[in-house]
Amino acid sequence: MKRILLPLLALALLTSCKDYDDFDFSGKVIDVELCTNIQDVGYAIELASPSDLGGDYLADDTIVHHNVVVVYGSDRRLKSNQHVSGKIYLDNNYSKATCSYHYSGRRVKDVQEACFTKLKVD
């Protein structure tokens, strides 16, 4: 009985994984936030599209940027002022669940968190 039950439990766990709706985005990297270490970071991206998403963010350049989302899970290192595009999905609990470092002081108003599913550096 245990031989049947364990594989069924494993299958149930796999099928219960969170499903997400990703969407197209484009924008410019304005800042970097450490998550757990120097290889695991979030990128503050000022969105050009969609223009109705994101919040106000106080970057290292001391300017408050608008329509900013902090995006995690990049497959490469990004630099400030790089233009990026691709697909992301919103996950507003990402840093709370995953990161050791938190930057709430920079997130002035309604800054959402997201994860990359596809990334293109323009």
Side-chain angles (χ1 to χ4, degrees), residues 76-91:
R76 65 196 89 172
R77 302 282 282 155
L78 301 175
K79 299 176 186 171
S80 290
N81 294 317
Q82 278 186 314
H83 290 273
V84 293
S85 60
K87 289 187 174 283
I88 58 175
Y89 66 92
L90 295 178
D91 184 352

Side-chain angles (χ1 to χ4, degrees), residues 14-48:
L14 288 174
T15 58
S16 67
C17 290
K18 183 179 174 185
D19 198 18
Y20 54 82
D21 292 322
D22 57 355
F23 55 90
D24 293 324
F25 83 97
S26 66
K28 180 175 75 169
V29 177
I30 59 164
D31 215 348
V32 177
E33 295 185 356
L34 288 177
C35 179
T36 57
N37 58 47
I38 199 158
Q39 284 85 26
D40 186 13
V41 300
Y43 294 98
I45 298 175
E46 187 171 34
L47 297 175

Side-chain angles (χ1 to χ4, degrees), residues 2 26 30 36-37 43 47 56 58 60-62 70 75-76 100 104:
K2 287 183 182 178
S26 66
I30 59 164
T36 57
N37 58 47
Y43 294 98
L47 297 175
D56 295 340
L58 179 63
D60 279 342
D61 61 9
T62 67
V70 177
D75 60 357
R76 65 196 89 172
S100 303
S104 58

Side-chain angles (χ1 to χ4, degrees), residues 108-121:
V108 180
K109 181 182 171 196
D110 301 327
V111 174
Q112 295 171 300
E113 296 178 352
C115 295
F116 291 107
T117 57
K118 183 179 179 182
L119 174 60
K120 178 182 173 192
V121 179

